[in-house]
Amino acid sequence: MKILAVCLGNICRSPLAEGLLRREAEARGLDWEIASGGTANYHTGKPPDPRSVAIAREHDLDITGQRSHQVTADDLEYYDLVLGMDRQNVEDMKERARTQVQREKVHLFLEYAGLVGSDGPDVFDPYYDDRTFAGVYDLVARAAEGTITRLG
Ligand code: 4NP
């Protein structure tokens, strides 16, 4: 199984999703490929935002090795499941899809994880508000668990 988490910049939300999905998969002994990407190229090649690094570190999760990359239609071919953090990310990825099969790989993260209703539909963008990173972490952690439970 190959999973790609997608947000806008690939520095705040999807790096947390990548790290947490990988941790959940490994905890269940699943040797899956987990990655993340951004729909925009603003931060290509950059490490995750220091605020995401800090909140991850508080939870013993190291995401410092990640580097931002912009998603392409090739990613939609390569990965089995593409999880957009918000509805705009999902829409943008679907627009990038070249085939119906690729389109159908794209899902809204919280919906896929079964969290819409209590928390959905979007993992909100924390970029402009430092205080929101802890809430984003908690939401992404629950969604990562829900996703791997659904698939495992
Ligand atoms: P992310 O957050 O999509 O969760 O990585 C953002 C990062 C950068 C920007 C916006 C959101 N930006 O406008 O540069």
Side-chain angles (χ1 to χ4, degrees):
M1 187 78 186
K2 300 193 289 283
I3 305 175
L4 182 69
V6 175
C7 62
L8 176 64
N10 191 208
I11 56 168
C12 298
R13 293 166 290 176
S14 60
L16 291 172
E18 177 183 331
L20 286 161
L21 285 164
R22 185 175 295 124
R23 185 151 85 178
E24 285 294 329
E26 283 174 359
R28 288 167 167 77
L30 301 166
D31 185 21
W32 288 355
E33 187 170 335
I34 316 280
S36 63
T39 56
N41 67 356
Y42 314 141
H43 302 282
T44 297
K46 301 260 182 62
D49 188 287
R51 298 166 294 180
S52 284
V53 169
I55 194 72
R57 188 174 288 135
E58 279 181 34
H59 296 270
D60 296 319
L61 181 71
D62 181 7
I63 61 168
T64 56
Q66 296 184 33
R67 295 294 176 269
S68 174
H69 102 277
Q70 186 179 27
V71 288
T72 64
D74 289 342
D75 290 320
L76 283 164
E77 188 59 36
Y78 181 75
Y79 291 97
D80 303 306
L81 177 64
V82 177
L83 297 169
M85 296 297 110
D86 64 31
R87 286 166 289 179
Q88 186 65 51
N89 306 144
V90 168
E91 193 178 309
D92 291 343
M93 289 309 294
K94 285 190 169 172
E95 270 174 22
R96 242 160 258 198
R98 288 185 294 229
T99 65
Q100 189 61 23
V101 171
Q102 289 179 358
R103 267 183 77 80
E104 286 171 3
K105 292 178 180 179
V106 184
H107 297 269
L108 188 58
F109 189 34
L110 297 186
E111 200 166 80
Y112 194 85
L115 293 179
V116 169
S118 51
D119 297 286
D122 296 328
V123 178
F124 46 91
D125 183 349
Y127 189 66
Y128 295 104
D129 188 349
D130 296 352
R131 297 165 302 180
T132 58
F133 278 78
V136 164
Y137 180 92
D138 289 341
L139 192 52
V140 170
R142 285 193 292 128
E145 189 188 355
T147 298
I148 301 297
T149 299
R150 173 175 173 170
L151 291 165

